[in-house]
Amino acid sequence: MSPARAITLAVLCLAACPASAVAQAQEPSTRAGQIEQAQAAKVTHPYEPGQVEKVLNFVESTFVPGSGPHPFFESAYSGGGFTLGAGYNQFVSPYNTVDMRGSYTFKGYKRVEAEFTAPGLFNRRGTFSALAGWREATQVGFYGIGTNTSKGDRVNYGFTRPHASAQLAVRPTGGGLVVSGGAEVSQWDTGPGEGSAPSIETVYTPQSLPGLGAEPVYYHTQATVGFDSRPAVDYARRGGYYRVTFHDYADPDDLFGLNQVTYEAIQHIPILRETWVVSMRARVETATNKEGQELPYFMLPSLGGGSSLRGFSSWRFRDRNSLLLQLDWRAMINRYIDIALLYDAGKVTERSGDLSLNGLKSDFGFGFRLHGPASTPLRIDIMKANEGFHVVFASGAAF
């Protein structure tokens, strides 16, 4: 037989083989081979997220900083209630941005501001920001001074506050050490309050309550030294933050000047590869009036509201000194949702020497967080204290 005839006969034989024989030759002979074949088959069918995951992906991408419009849910002042707002963030260089934003609440609280941020200074070790804005609050609660005040003693006051500030924060070693400083000029124009509670001037006088009806201008300077090992400020499951901040509020009229110092410690302890996390916070604030001047009631350290004693109304307790202790246990349901058990305790005192663990006001409750890798766009806390239940709707981490 000639070579050409042999090749032709071989081709005809292969063409005549049953299709089942070819299929059997392609079947893997081992379990590993079957797994590899199954994985190869999946490649032809890409993963399609479900409807819930699509919604959560959209929420996460909406709150990731970037150029363009974005929601803005921060009220002009704590206690403003449900907040609606929006902003527009514009890159003015590869790293620097200008963000213009505003918000409004159903209680009539208003906030308008513009902020320039430069996060890449000193080889990305420094961040500079400059902000100018205007705020109005219409029914801020005041319950008297001290811890032993009554919920029924509430009166309301209002204010408007134009302000402009600049701040520089630097990590000099490139690690956790943080040093920052800033300056601000603002004017507090306080006045009568709105809402269901009596207005403040119907109960107090300037003689009985320093600062009533005052319109001080403040030249405010501050400096912070701290250590921050958290991966992000607005959502963290590990690391800690320890700081001391010094504030100087200078009144050019020498009427209402004061100094304030804040000591704060935050620690997140991960458990089971960060599936659970125990978060703890301790904070002490002290305020002292400058010699020959008065400490106005609206500048006193306070407790109560969405980020301190969460089971009490905003600004529920005020005095010259405050102590706050918080403990949260959070469990990750999925990469977007946490649930949490919450506990707060704290007190306010006239003298710093009375800041002890005796006579603390406390609350407890349950929380829900919708979050991204570095932000918390929605936080809902349902808290119980001796004055009843309190529900917190907020954006941003409590601490």
Side-chain angles (χ1 to χ4, degrees):
M1 181 182 300
S2 66
R5 187 178 179 122
I7 292 173
T8 302
L9 182 60
V11 171
L12 292 174
C13 289
L14 287 174
C17 288
S20 60
V22 175
Q24 290 175 0
Q26 294 177 345
E27 285 292 334
S29 59
T30 64
R31 175 61 177 166
Q34 293 174 359
I35 294 175
E36 291 176 359
Q37 188 179 57
Q39 291 175 341
K42 289 182 180 180
V43 174
T44 61
H45 301 284
Y47 170 73
E48 289 289 339
Q51 291 300 319
V52 174
E53 188 170 356
K54 287 180 179 178
V55 172
L56 293 175
N57 283 334
F58 171 77
V59 171
E60 181 181 9
S61 63
T62 299
F63 286 92
V64 172
S67 184
H70 62 85
F72 182 65
F73 297 142
E74 295 185 21
S75 174
Y77 213 50
S78 179
F82 186 74
T83 306
L84 294 174
Y88 191 91
N89 193 48
Q90 178 65 51
F91 279 93
V92 293
S93 76
Y95 298 104
N96 303 341
T97 62
V98 172
D99 188 19
M100 296 171 289
R101 57 208 182 213
S103 66
Y104 179 83
T105 79
F106 295 140
K107 292 183 179 181
Y109 287 37
K110 306 173 188 67
R111 175 174 179 170
V112 179
E113 60 191 27
E115 182 177 26
F116 168 78
T117 303
L121 303 180
F122 312 123
N123 294 322
R124 302 188 183 180
R125 293 184 179 181
T127 298
F128 172 80
S129 63
L131 184 145
W134 177 87
R135 301 185 186 192
E136 180 182 20
T138 58
Q139 42 190 296
V140 184
F142 180 75
Y143 299 83
I145 296 176
T147 300
N148 298 318
T149 56
S150 171
K151 183 179 179 181
D153 293 336
R154 173 171 179 161
V155 294
N156 287 344
Y157 70 93
F159 71 84
T160 59
R161 180 173 170 259
H163 59 96
S165 62
Q167 184 165 353
L168 176 66
V170 180
R171 293 179 181 263
T173 65
L177 179 64
V178 179
V179 179
S180 67
E184 177 189 54
V185 59
S186 65
Q187 179 175 15
W188 289 78
D189 186 357
T190 63
E194 302 176 3
S196 58
S199 185
I200 193 169
E201 79 281 357
T202 65
V203 177
Y204 297 94
T205 66
Q207 291 71 36
S208 63
L209 188 63
L212 182 64
E215 302 178 4
V217 172
Y218 278 122
Y219 298 121
H220 170 208
T221 55
Q222 62 173 303
T224 297
V225 177
F227 184 86
D228 191 355
S229 60
R230 298 169 298 175
V233 173
D234 201 29
Y235 182 77
R237 305 186 67 82
R238 66 183 186 276
Y241 181 44
Y242 301 84
R243 71 172 174 111
V244 179
T245 302
F246 303 91
H247 299 268
D248 180 271
Y249 292 89
D251 178 2
D253 294 327
D254 295 329
L255 296 175
F256 299 107
L258 69 142
N259 295 306
Q260 182 176 326
V261 183
T262 301
Y263 308 87
E264 186 174 33
I266 297 172
Q267 185 64 53
H268 303 289
I269 303 174
I271 302 173
L272 297 179
R273 297 184 179 180
E274 301 187 16
T275 302
W276 298 346
V277 60
V278 175
S279 298
M280 301 176 291
R281 180 194 198 188
R283 188 188 71 192
V284 172
E285 290 184 323
T286 65
T288 56
N289 56 288
K290 295 188 175 183
E291 185 176 358
Q293 304 183 45
E294 294 184 300
L295 183 56
Y297 72 94
F298 53 86
M299 296 297 288
L300 291 170
S302 68
L303 294 176
S307 60
S308 58
L309 287 180
R310 291 166 283 188
F312 295 88
S313 300
S314 296
W315 317 105
R316 177 63 183 83
F317 306 103
R318 300 181 192 240
D319 214 325
R320 290 174 172 264
N321 307 279
S322 70
L323 167 66
L324 174 66
L325 303 172
Q326 294 180 286
L327 176 65
D328 290 4
W329 175 84
R330 287 184 283 139
M332 180 182 288
I333 301 303
N334 57 41
R335 64 177 175 144
Y336 300 101
I337 298 175
D338 286 0
I339 58 173
L341 297 177
L342 315 170
Y343 177 79
D344 304 324
K347 66 189 296 187
V348 295
T349 64
E350 182 179 4
R351 299 186 308 165
S352 59
D354 293 332
L355 291 176
S356 66
L357 299 182
N358 298 323
L360 298 177
K361 298 292 184 178
S362 63
D363 57 43
F364 63 92
F366 174 83
F368 167 92
R369 284 95 173 91
L370 178 64
H371 63 85
S375 64
T376 305
L378 177 62
R379 174 169 55 91
I380 302 174
D381 297 331
I382 303 172
M383 306 296 293
K384 174 67 172 66
N386 63 344
E387 295 183 349
F389 285 92
H390 192 70
V391 180
V392 175
F393 291 91
S395 61
F399 60 91

